[in-house]
Amino acid sequence: RVEGAFALLDSVVAGIPPVVLRGADGTDPAHLAQIRGLCEQVIDMLLGVDMTRDPALVTPVRQGFIALIPYMRIHGGKSASVLERLLSLLHCFPLPMDPEAPGASDTAVLRRRVAGSSVKIGEALAQHLAPLATQVEAMVRQMVNEGKVSPEETAHLYELLFLLAGASSSTSGPSDSERIGFFHRIIEPWVTEWNAQEISDGVQDVQGWVVGAVAGSAPVSAEVWAVNTKRRHRIHQVMITLLSICRRVEQHQGEKAAAAAAAGDCGASDAQAALESQVGRVLLNLVRLVRSVHALWDPALRGQLPMVWQQIVYRPLEYEAAVEGAAGAAAIASIIGEVSAKGEDERRAMELCSWLRHVRDGAYQLLGVLASWGPESAMFKVLASEEGPQMLSVMWEHLPFLEPRHLRSFIRLFLGNLIRNCPPQLHPGLLQGTMPQVLGLLRLRLDEGYAAVQGNSGDEVGDIASDHVVRLLHREVVELLISLVDGGQGLAAQAAALASIQDRATGVSSPSGKPWAGTGRHLG
């Protein structure tokens, strides 16, 4: 019933034309006053709800604020109160000390959604909230420093800070110099910690990730394991916070570039200019982290882990998911259920498995975002140095041992962006010196995959799964090859092809003035 009410609210508010909300010429003043009065009443009602007495009230209040965004975007007088109310919930419902405690999972989900909603509010109402950037920054820093937020929440909160820093207010928004200084203040502590000794050691210490589990090593106490777990989680937290900030820079740069192109200005955004100097400092430990994650699949190390670790960490979930779409998630859920009733080894293996999954995709995404900033970005300046090809080769080192799902993610999230944005002058030294090794590996994996499928093992379900997995990998490899052969303009080529199809339908000539290829053929 509550969800239906807020769905109705969302539909009604979204259906009001912005020109009406702005009171444009021709708008009935009485009608506008009625709309504003009702919206303000709903906002006041939501702000007055005491959510501390029942966590179930958080969801409808949060959804109500989101539904009212179209109104508050124009009449944002209470935007600050709305954002403050959302952020206060992170204090009202503290981070669970014991993730296994009753209700801990529900609280974690609630907090994550509240933090995510604060980003939506910040993005939509940034112009109204820009003057509060310094206050929000102090609040966020306090929560982070006191350990009151999880890694995911930290990433959301710093994403919010970036949005407020990049906004301009019509009356009292920050100046360009203040905005650049704010960007530096946001990113600098995280880059500094990312390069601190603890994380530099942690991203390279693969043995420390599986301490006590390697054959021949002595078991470790819960305290020792907890110390290693804390270090790994901090690696993840710092990395995804950097990812959230850089991803927003990428989006912000795209918007600024479009506006600048229309104005004839091709300069970099304030945010990107502020962060360019930091990229080189981020890249080295990021490459080390990717190499270490890949190294865990090296048979030399994998074979030293006990069978229970191998069954959990290296479980072939993509083959299970290929047979039944929800099997992957179901398998993970079943493992969690089984492990909760089992011993310490199983719990540790499951915890590491979850961490690896998140940190791998996050690292690939961060590399891809840094590459997507374009040929003139700091990433390619770093890769143009003598150490550049070596940095790539370090990540290629253990590719032969990765599962197909890992290769797909590596290609889709990082490698494609690297190729599409690599400046032509780096092709000989960077791409031609490293890509043949990768392409040879991918060709071998596809050949082996199709040979296994054609071998007809007699296991019909297994053959279907194998065929599905190898075809998914094949698709990513083809996209990669398209980017390579057309000079990195894969998306541009697709857009041109779509345009040509549309032009054929309307009778428009090709750019050369000649008939389109194939138009003289009878298609009926």
Side-chain angles (χ1 to χ4, degrees):
R1 188 179 302 173
V2 173
E3 290 180 356
F6 282 100
L8 177 62
L9 176 65
D10 184 39
S11 299
V12 170
V13 176
I16 302 173
V19 292
V20 173
L21 292 175
R22 292 191 183 95
D25 292 342
T27 302
D28 183 353
H31 187 201
L32 175 60
Q34 186 179 23
I35 291 173
R36 290 193 60 176
L38 290 172
C39 288
E40 293 292 334
Q41 287 180 31
V42 175
I43 294 173
D44 289 337
M45 179 190 70
L46 294 173
L47 289 172
V49 174
D50 181 8
M51 290 173 279
T52 59
R53 58 188 176 87
D54 185 359
L57 294 172
V58 173
T59 296
V61 171
R62 179 178 58 81
Q63 290 175 338
F65 287 143
I66 298 299
L68 285 160
I69 281 177
Y71 170 78
M72 291 191 290
R73 186 179 282 120
I74 297 171
H75 303 285
K78 294 178 180 175
S79 300
S81 299
V82 169
L83 181 61
E84 182 182 359
R85 193 75 178 98
L86 283 174
L87 294 178
S88 70
L89 294 173
L90 298 178
H91 290 288
C92 296
F93 300 97
L95 196 65
M97 298 299 293
D98 181 7
E100 304 298 327
S105 177
D106 292 338
T107 301
V109 171
L110 180 152
R111 289 173 57 89
R112 185 169 64 249
R113 289 177 177 171
V114 165
S117 295
S118 72
V119 175
K120 289 183 180 180
I121 293 292
E123 183 172 24
L125 311 179
Q127 287 191 334
H128 301 295
L129 296 168
L132 301 176
T134 304
Q135 295 171 247
V136 176
E137 180 189 10
M139 184 188 308
V140 169
R141 286 189 185 279
Q142 182 180 358
M143 288 192 289
V144 171
N145 293 338
E146 294 176 358
K148 294 182 177 179
V149 286
S150 70
E152 292 81 5
E153 294 160 8
T154 300
H156 282 312
L157 292 175
Y158 271 84
E159 201 171 354
L160 171 64
L161 286 183
F162 173 82
L163 289 166
L164 300 188
S168 60
S169 170
S170 58
T171 57
S172 57
S175 66
D176 288 345
S177 60
E178 290 172 333
R179 192 156 43 235
I180 292 174
F182 194 69
F183 290 139
H184 274 296
R185 289 206 309 275
I186 290 174
I187 194 75
E188 179 64 32
W190 297 99
V191 174
T192 299
E193 183 173 1
W194 181 249
N195 290 290
Q197 195 63 45
E198 183 178 11
I199 287 185
S200 293
D201 292 342
V203 296
Q204 301 177 81
D205 186 15
V206 185
Q207 294 287 339
W209 299 354
V210 291
V211 62
V214 177
S217 63
V220 298
S221 65
E223 291 75 16
V224 172
W225 179 259
V227 170
N228 281 276
T229 298
K230 183 179 180 180
R231 182 172 68 170
R232 282 190 288 102
H233 285 181
R234 191 59 185 170
I235 291 171
H236 179 222
Q237 182 173 29
V238 176
M239 184 194 68
I240 65 170
T241 303
L242 290 170
L243 170 61
S244 295
I245 296 172
C246 292
R247 194 159 45 196
R248 280 293 173 181
V249 170
E250 177 188 27
Q251 178 180 337
H252 185 67
Q253 170 64 0
E255 295 167 355
K256 293 274 285 189
D265 179 11
C266 299
S269 70
D270 298 335
Q272 184 169 334
L275 297 184
E276 283 285 324
S277 61
Q278 309 285 1
V279 172
R281 298 171 60 197
V282 170
L283 203 54
L284 179 58
N285 274 344
L286 188 58
V287 168
R288 289 170 172 170
L289 176 62
V290 170
R291 181 192 181 280
S292 296
V293 172
H294 290 177
L296 208 55
W297 266 255
D298 191 321
L301 176 58
R302 179 173 177 168
Q304 297 182 54
L305 297 178
M307 189 55 63
V308 65
W309 281 72
Q310 295 194 34
Q311 290 173 343
I312 294 174
V313 175
Y314 305 112
R315 183 165 181 168
L317 296 177
E318 65 179 327
Y319 289 91
E320 299 173 16
V323 179
E324 180 183 348
I332 293 174
S334 67
I335 291 175
I336 294 173
E338 295 166 4
V339 167
S340 63
K342 290 190 176 181
E344 189 68 19
D345 277 352
E346 288 89 342
R347 284 193 291 271
R348 291 178 179 180
M350 186 62 206
E351 189 272 329
L352 178 66
C353 179
S354 176
W355 180 82
L356 285 169
R357 185 171 66 253
H358 287 100
V359 84
R360 179 192 299 109
D361 283 349
Y364 291 167
Q365 288 181 61
L366 182 51
L367 283 167
V369 167
L370 295 178
S372 69
W373 284 0
E376 302 301 321
S377 68
M379 180 174 187
F380 288 107
K381 293 175 184 175
V382 173
L383 294 178
S385 66
E386 293 182 3
E387 296 80 15
Q390 178 62 25
M391 294 179 80
L392 293 183
S393 297
V394 161
M395 291 189 286
W396 300 172
E397 185 179 349
H398 298 94
L399 286 183
F401 312 125
L402 300 187
E403 299 173 30
R405 61 192 171 108
H406 302 154
L407 291 173
R408 295 202 311 271
S409 295
F410 189 69
I411 294 171
R412 183 176 66 255
L413 299 176
F414 167 54
L415 204 51
N417 275 334
L418 178 75
I419 290 170
R420 284 188 289 272
N421 291 282
C422 184
Q425 63 269 25
L426 292 187
H427 286 181
L430 195 62
L431 295 187
Q432 293 178 15
T434 60
M435 282 304 298
Q437 176 186 354
V438 177
L439 295 176
L441 163 68
L442 294 174
R443 170 64 185 270
L444 178 62
R445 294 295 287 271
L446 290 176
D447 287 346
E448 292 175 346
Y450 281 118
V453 170
Q454 294 169 1
N456 193 8
S457 66
D459 176 8
E460 183 177 355
V461 173
D463 288 342
I464 291 174
S466 297
D467 180 72
H468 180 75
V469 168
V470 74
R471 288 180 187 276
L472 287 177
L473 177 59
H474 198 164
R475 182 182 304 167
E476 296 293 345
V477 173
V478 169
E479 292 292 335
L480 184 69
L481 292 174
I482 290 174
S483 295
L484 277 169
V485 300
D486 69 0
Q489 300 300 314
L491 295 178
Q494 293 175 33
L498 178 60
S500 72
I501 293 172
Q502 294 170 338
D503 289 345
R504 289 188 202 192
T506 58
V508 177
S509 300
S510 69
S512 66
K514 298 178 181 178
W516 293 104
T519 51
R521 186 180 303 169
H522 179 62
L523 301 177

